[in-house]
Amino acid sequence: MSDYKLFTSCLWQTTSAVVSTPDRLYLFDPAYFPHEIEAIAEYVQSARNGRELVLVLTHGDWDHIVGYPRFADAKLIGYKKITDPERLAKKLQKARKFDGSYYVNRPYELNPPAFDKLIEQVEAWEEVRFIPVPGHTVDQLATLFCEQKLLVVGDMLSNLEFPFVDDSSAYLSSLQAIEKLVVDGEVEELIPGHGVPAKGRESILRRIRRDQEYLLAARKLIFEGVAAGMGEEALAESFRQISYDGAPIGQYLQDSHEQNRIVLMKEAVSLTG
């Protein structure tokens, strides 16, 4: 049984996991509103018992990085690509804009984080294995708790969302890498960045397969359409008909689906020259 506590924000059901090991507490993406982050901090303080606190940012999206200043004594870890200054500045500005628009007062400034450790490739560290899983973003990082067979994965394999894509080829490769971990018996439970965990081999594999099916169908439609010279309007109309897990894309997620089409169009055009 995995030893963790999951906090879920009312904003997008963003998850913040606190995973216990004998020597450390690992905290992931403390989010989002100040009172929610304070509840996490109170739990960490009560559960820490002198252990080292490790704060892992799974990726640099603004809803995942706003809480790190509250945990000033934590060892801060992320994937190396999260430190891109231009991208990080844009994400922090989005957080400031959201907070300003909704009158959210934070007791600290949102400045670029200073990382204690940056991951460049798959790396075993202490009792975990860090695994870069780009695709949703270029900087996404999964953490495998080897003994617990628990994978904290960031923004993929959610029960709430289809893939939101930055790079479709990288996304498929990351899904394949996670699938191998599950098939090999290294992962039995998975915590996504939004929504509820997937528990058990079949539950995780089902999430992987429905995401693979969506990505493959989307790529096929756009790549073949661009290669055949289809107009963008016709492609956009066909793309709106793509389903996810056997159901139409929900009306409130249509903008994210459309954003995926724009990303795939750019990929297809780059392939055709």
Side-chain angles (χ1 to χ4, degrees):
M1 180 64 66
S2 296
D3 185 10
Y4 70 84
K5 185 171 178 63
L6 192 67
F7 294 83
T8 304
S9 174
C10 60
L11 178 68
W12 296 323
Q13 296 189 39
T14 307
T15 59
S16 303
V18 183
V19 185
S20 297
T21 70
D23 298 318
R24 292 167 193 83
L25 277 185
Y26 289 80
L27 169 60
F28 295 85
D29 298 353
Y32 176 84
F33 295 104
H35 70 282
E36 295 174 326
I37 293 170
E38 195 59 35
I40 297 169
E42 290 175 2
Y43 173 77
V44 166
Q45 183 177 3
S46 68
R48 192 167 175 180
N49 294 325
R51 287 178 287 181
E52 181 181 27
L53 178 62
V54 179
L55 199 169
V56 181
L57 297 181
T58 63
H59 60 299
D61 280 352
W62 61 272
D63 52 319
H64 292 263
I65 62 176
V66 294
Y68 77 87
R70 177 61 182 81
F71 303 89
D73 67 335
K75 186 182 186 74
L76 188 60
I77 297 178
Y79 185 19
K80 184 176 182 179
K81 293 184 179 180
I82 199 173
T83 60
D84 177 85
E86 183 178 351
R87 185 174 183 277
L88 191 55
K90 289 179 180 178
K91 298 299 183 181
L92 289 170
Q93 183 56 32
K94 283 187 176 182
R96 296 187 195 104
K97 182 179 180 180
F98 180 94
D99 284 359
S101 297
Y102 293 96
Y103 312 149
V104 177
N105 289 318
R106 291 189 190 277
Y108 48 76
E109 294 294 322
L110 290 176
N111 296 316
F115 287 89
D116 298 289
K117 180 176 177 60
L118 290 169
I119 305 302
E120 298 188 31
Q121 57 189 352
V122 176
E123 178 180 342
W125 182 80
E126 303 296 352
E127 57 272 273
V128 303
R129 190 189 317 158
F130 291 116
I131 306 168
V133 284
H136 168 66
T137 61
V138 298
D139 58 358
Q140 187 158 268
L141 182 70
T143 304
L144 174 61
F145 290 84
C146 303
E147 184 174 336
Q148 299 182 28
K149 298 187 177 182
L150 171 69
L151 188 69
V152 182
V153 75
D155 275 7
M156 58 195 305
L157 299 171
S158 170
N159 63 303
L160 302 171
E161 301 171 343
F162 53 86
F164 295 175
V165 180
D166 173 77
D167 181 327
S168 66
S169 178
Y171 208 127
L172 284 167
S173 294
S174 293
L175 287 173
Q176 186 176 40
I178 295 170
E179 183 177 27
K180 185 176 188 307
L181 292 173
V182 178
V183 171
D184 290 348
E186 294 190 67
V187 173
E188 294 181 353
E189 189 165 1
L190 179 144
I191 298 176
H194 301 271
V196 301
K199 300 181 180 182
R201 171 189 167 112
E202 290 309 314
S203 177
I204 300 171
L205 288 176
R206 183 175 181 277
R207 291 193 189 186
I208 291 171
R209 286 166 184 157
R210 70 186 187 182
D211 284 6
Q212 288 171 331
E213 289 170 1
Y214 169 84
L215 288 169
L216 291 171
R219 281 167 57 93
K220 178 179 173 64
L221 190 155
I222 296 298
F223 287 15
E224 292 184 358
V226 168
M230 284 182 64
E232 185 165 355
E233 186 174 336
L235 277 172
E237 177 59 32
S238 295
F239 198 79
R240 282 192 284 271
Q241 308 309 312
I242 290 178
S243 63
Y244 176 67
D245 199 24
I249 301 295
Q251 62 173 318
Y252 300 115
L253 292 177
Q254 280 290 341
D255 286 349
S256 297
H257 184 55
E258 170 63 10
Q259 184 59 40
N260 284 350
R261 184 189 69 81
I262 293 170
V263 170
L264 289 168
M265 290 288 293
K266 291 178 180 177
E267 292 179 358
V269 169
S270 71
L271 284 175
T272 59

